[in-house]
Amino acid sequence: MTAFARNQWYVAAYGREIGRELLARTILNEPIAFYRTEPDDSEGAEPDGPEGGTVVALADRCVHRRYPLSAGRLDGDKVVCGYHGFTYDTAGTCVFVPGQKRVPRTARVASYPVVEQDSLVWVWIGDPALADPAAIPRAPWLTDPRWTTVGGMEPIDAGYGLLVDNLMDLSHETYLHGGYIGTPEVAETPITTEVDEGAGIVRVSRHMDDAECPPFYARSTGIEGRITRWQDIEYHAPCLYLLHSRIAPAGVLPEADGSDPNAFHVEITYAITPSTDRTVYDFWAVSRDFAQDDDEVTTFLHDFNRTVVTQDVDALNLLQKALDTEREGYQELSINIDTGGLAARRILARLAAEGEQRSTPATPGPATPTPATPGPSTTAAP
């Protein structure tokens, strides 16, 4: 079984996905039923989500015969098992059993800590006493009215680590996503990598000052000709991946004071959530600070990016099948472009090893970036 970092926050859904219908998701091999409570109609109360109310996460197995609670129904804010009617409150305590007045003392299911932030619903699978909402990384542009966002989620039939590797090394854009977001310069440009071990953050940057403009940006920004293109990755292990993307006509750089009036900015957000040992949820979002009210651009970016994500899904599904048939003891090859991915692997392994032994919440300290140590290499980076 895969060793996951359990005492961490993971994205379970977009807030818009959870309402007054039970939603089943499996997170770190744990089946969970999600729903939203009824809105609080008291004076001055504000609804928390798309349908009001707060999000509840209960173990998706009735204590009686293990029937999935997500296949049941809601009665107010209580969940009624669709098999024999066992009924649970928002804390997971059974409040009704059929045929008797006494409810067994042990009749309860696990209730998981949940936080709804930046349009994402985060769930904590580990020790509830360690669940610190302040440790959840931010992606504020997802709900900022100054940005326009499109997004979705694709399940992948591959191990969680394969998606992390994929996103940490964007040189694959040149080959897997050519004609969409990939150009020769992405693979040709060296990267810089910084690792903050204490905070569990890996940063990988690739700055291209004279690059071909791929269709993804040419058609959304209207830029013709070559561009300045910057890709700055910020991976917050274990779940949140941020790609800060800057696009401008070639030769246009930020002003000395840091202002960037002649550039287009795109924030690409991924939440990488393990479902089982061999499946992963790929939540993705594209946020832009230009053409906010242009519906054509919105539709284009949604459909185009979903195609790119689907290309990754197909590639990782194929890669997982190849790895399943790999002979035992095969030694993979890593090169300089893998530095960020190897650092992410190292941090994830540490978080998993800490496991249930952690006695305090994960609270990142001040960032003190240190150079990453490249993994085994027999070939120089492009």
Side-chain angles (χ1 to χ4, degrees):
M1 180 174 289
T2 302
F4 293 125
R6 294 180 61 83
N7 285 323
Q8 298 289 328
W9 291 99
Y10 292 91
V11 171
Y14 288 104
R16 62 178 180 269
E17 294 184 275
I18 302 178
R20 294 291 295 163
E21 297 290 334
L22 291 158
L23 174 69
R25 287 272 157 87
T26 299
I27 312 293
L28 275 63
N29 291 309
E30 299 280 351
I32 304 175
F34 294 89
Y35 67 97
R36 198 176 289 277
T37 62
E38 293 181 324
D40 183 355
D41 294 329
S42 61
E43 185 177 355
E46 294 278 344
D48 296 312
E51 296 187 40
T54 57
V55 176
V56 177
L58 300 180
D60 196 12
R61 293 290 185 270
C62 179
V63 294
H64 180 228
R65 290 294 181 263
R66 313 304 291 156
Y67 193 76
L69 292 180
S70 58
R73 63 179 177 85
L74 291 178
D75 178 8
D77 289 341
K78 297 186 287 292
V79 180
V80 181
C81 178
Y83 196 14
H84 293 102
F86 278 60
T87 302
Y88 302 87
D89 64 16
T90 58
T93 301
C94 184
V95 295
F96 171 81
V97 298
Q100 63 186 58
K101 292 183 178 180
R102 187 184 69 84
V103 177
R105 180 176 52 83
T106 56
R108 61 181 302 116
V109 297
S111 174
Y112 298 90
V114 173
V115 172
E116 191 166 5
Q117 175 178 283
D118 299 330
S119 83
L120 302 171
V121 175
W122 296 79
V123 65
W124 180 276
I125 301 297
D127 182 350
L130 303 182
D132 178 11
I136 300 175
R138 300 300 305 267
W141 44 84
L142 294 178
T143 53
D144 190 326
R146 294 171 295 180
W147 295 78
T148 298
T149 298
V150 296
M153 188 276 283
E154 300 296 330
I156 305 177
D157 292 325
Y160 162 75
L162 295 184
L163 181 55
V164 176
D165 285 347
N166 171 277
L167 294 173
M168 294 304 294
D169 175 17
L170 294 182
S171 67
H172 78 274
E173 289 183 351
T174 300
Y175 307 99
L176 188 60
H177 305 306
Y180 291 88
I181 58 175
T183 67
E185 294 81 12
V186 180
E188 293 168 357
T189 303
I191 61 171
T192 59
T193 304
E194 292 183 342
V195 183
D196 186 336
E197 293 281 356
I201 299 174
V202 182
R203 296 180 175 88
V204 178
S205 295
R206 179 183 278 106
H207 291 178
M208 297 159 275
D209 293 333
D210 183 15
E212 179 184 333
C213 188
F216 184 83
Y217 291 118
R219 290 176 58 183
S220 61
T221 66
I223 293 179
E224 297 180 356
R226 298 181 70 80
I227 61 171
T228 297
R229 182 182 183 185
W230 292 3
Q231 296 174 323
D232 293 301
I233 295 169
E234 187 179 330
Y235 174 56
H236 297 254
C239 186
L240 193 66
Y241 170 100
L242 310 175
L243 172 58
H244 312 295
S245 183
R246 177 193 186 277
I247 312 96
V252 175
L253 299 174
E255 303 291 340
D257 62 0
S259 61
D260 211 5
N262 298 310
F264 300 86
H265 300 93
V266 176
E267 295 288 351
I268 298 177
T269 306
Y270 281 90
I272 313 167
T273 300
S275 177
T276 68
D277 293 348
R278 301 293 298 280
T279 56
V280 58
Y281 295 122
D282 182 1
F283 295 90
W284 60 270
V286 177
S287 307
R288 68 183 190 274
D289 69 351
F290 57 93
Q292 283 101 326
D293 299 323
D294 191 322
D295 292 340
E296 289 187 14
V297 172
T298 297
T299 299
F300 167 74
L301 287 177
H302 175 275
D303 295 348
F304 218 66
N305 199 72
R306 187 177 186 278
T307 298
V308 170
V309 172
T310 300
Q311 290 172 335
D312 281 333
V313 171
D314 292 342
L316 295 181
N317 288 348
L318 183 62
L319 177 57
Q320 184 64 68
K321 290 179 180 178
L323 294 177
D324 289 342
T325 61
E326 190 58 75
R327 70 181 186 274
E328 185 176 354
Y330 173 79
Q331 181 65 46
E332 70 174 6
L333 172 69
S334 295
I335 59 176
N336 288 350
I337 59 174
D338 301 308
T339 304
L342 293 173
R345 289 185 187 184
R346 185 172 65 248
I347 291 173
L348 290 172
R350 173 176 61 80
L351 294 177
E354 290 173 355
E356 300 302 325
Q357 299 179 4
R358 296 182 65 175
S359 57
T360 56
T363 51
T368 307
T370 56
T373 302
S377 175
T378 59
T379 306

